[in-house]
Amino acid sequence: MNNENIAAIATAQGAAGVAVIRISGDSPLLIAEKIFKPSSKVEVKDFQPNVMYAGEISADGFKDFGLCVYFKAPKSFTGEDTVEFHTHGGIAVTQGVLRKILSSGARLAMNGEFTKRAFMNGKLSLASSEGLIDMINAESESAVKAGYSLYREKLTGKISSLQEKLTEALSQIDADMDFPEEGLEETSVKKVKETLKEVLNETGKLISTFRVGRIYKNGVKVAICGKPNTGKSSLLNALLNCDKAIVSDVAGTTRDVVEGSVNLRGVKFDFFDTAGIRESSDKIETMGVDLSKKTLNSSDLALFVFEAGNFDENDGEVFDILKDKPVIKVGNKTDIFSSRDFEADVYVSCKTGEGIDDLRKALYDRAVGEGLNENGEFLCEERHYYALKRAEESLTAALESAGSVDLSILSVFIRDGWRALGEISGKTADEDIIDDIFKRFCVGK
């Protein structure tokens, strides 16, 4: 596959010890010949693949001493001939070397263009490419694991296996339609139904992993809510182990949503300390209460905070708002109240720290539970989830109609399911899906 040379800085922008500048395309060695002078007697055109050569790199107006390595197609990340320069990581150095490369026969790469070429050249599946960008953007250990699982083709392998089974079923149907005189349709339909049941079972298992898989990737959004002065801001500070929110005895102190994040056993939890929910004549406080309700509606989980020994009617009104939301009831201020007016899931004292570790455990158990089998396949991308739901719908229709409709109609349902699965592996993804995925990448990857 012939492509023009593209180039970009592959490492992060800013001063660093080392920077990597990548060229990929038809003739990156010709560009290297123009700007790189090896310290050894080996000429650039004679470079051995996968060997680092030290030498002088010429840029516009200056020179740098660094390394050059050549990767020969197809054994490179992009599947094309590739050259990388490893320079000192100063901003002026890297920009100067890049300008020299661009004036010597390359153009600046677009967002994700190196990875897109890897996909187009069969080096990566579409799902693997998504896993790569997920790893780059990961903010937690669990997000890295989710991205790595995609990148290592675990999901793609499962999807390809399901597509192969559907292909076999379609081949059986096509044979029956081509040779109806053989009278094998009844036996074939039975085999097709068995295949559909097997594929639907595996599809259902994958769909069931999406809730936790999404949490692994995106984290958990937790709204801390309750009436004023129950210690919501103190609880946020205790969970974060720092003074993030202002704490005051004055009711209505929190007017805006205060945010903070922490990793619990590798999973990111984003906490949102909301304004105390109550009726108020204060216009600004009322706006804060409205924002609290919006935050609550968009959260994955709520912490309902009340005073352990002082539960009243206003607490009950707030709790009623949470009836459709997963909630952990937190009885606060156990250092003050010895009685228990309302049964809590966890009792804490933000002042002494009592129960805070128990609350962290309850948060993880409620949001994540037993988690996922990291060696198995699971969903963490919304796009994959909806593709599987469409496949499930088509294949269910096929199973329900098998034996009662013409074979040509049955094959249409199965092909629709096959195509939906192909959107995950990339076999049937259209140009808009592909472009949208690679736009998420930075320049240089």
Side-chain angles (χ1 to χ4, degrees), residues 9 42-43 59 116 123 171 190 195 207 268 337 426 433:
I9 300 169
V42 180
E43 296 185 18
K116 186 175 183 179
K123 303 293 289 186
S171 297
K190 182 179 179 181
T195 298
I207 290 172
K268 184 184 179 191
F337 300 101
I433 291 175

Side-chain angles (χ1 to χ4, degrees), residues 299-357:
S299 66
D300 301 306
L301 178 66
L303 292 182
F304 168 60
V305 186
F306 64 96
E307 293 180 328
N310 188 28
F311 189 89
D312 60 23
E313 181 179 342
N314 291 330
D315 287 294
E317 290 176 357
V318 175
F319 185 66
D320 287 342
I321 296 174
L322 307 176
K323 60 184 177 181
D324 296 324
K325 178 71 61 176
V327 60
I328 296 176
K329 296 171 287 185
V330 183
N332 191 20
K333 303 185 181 180
T334 56
D335 55 300
I336 298 175
F337 300 101
S338 58
S339 61
R340 302 289 185 262
D341 287 350
F342 183 73
E343 185 177 353
D345 296 305
V346 183
Y347 289 98
V348 303
S349 167
C350 297
K351 183 175 182 179
T352 66
E354 178 190 354
I356 296 300
D357 286 341

Side-chain angles (χ1 to χ4, degrees), residues 272-289:
F272 298 83
D273 174 27
T274 64
I277 298 176
R278 66 170 179 175
E279 295 294 329
S280 175
S281 59
D282 186 313
K283 183 178 180 180
I284 301 300
E285 185 180 356
T286 299
M287 292 173 65
V289 171

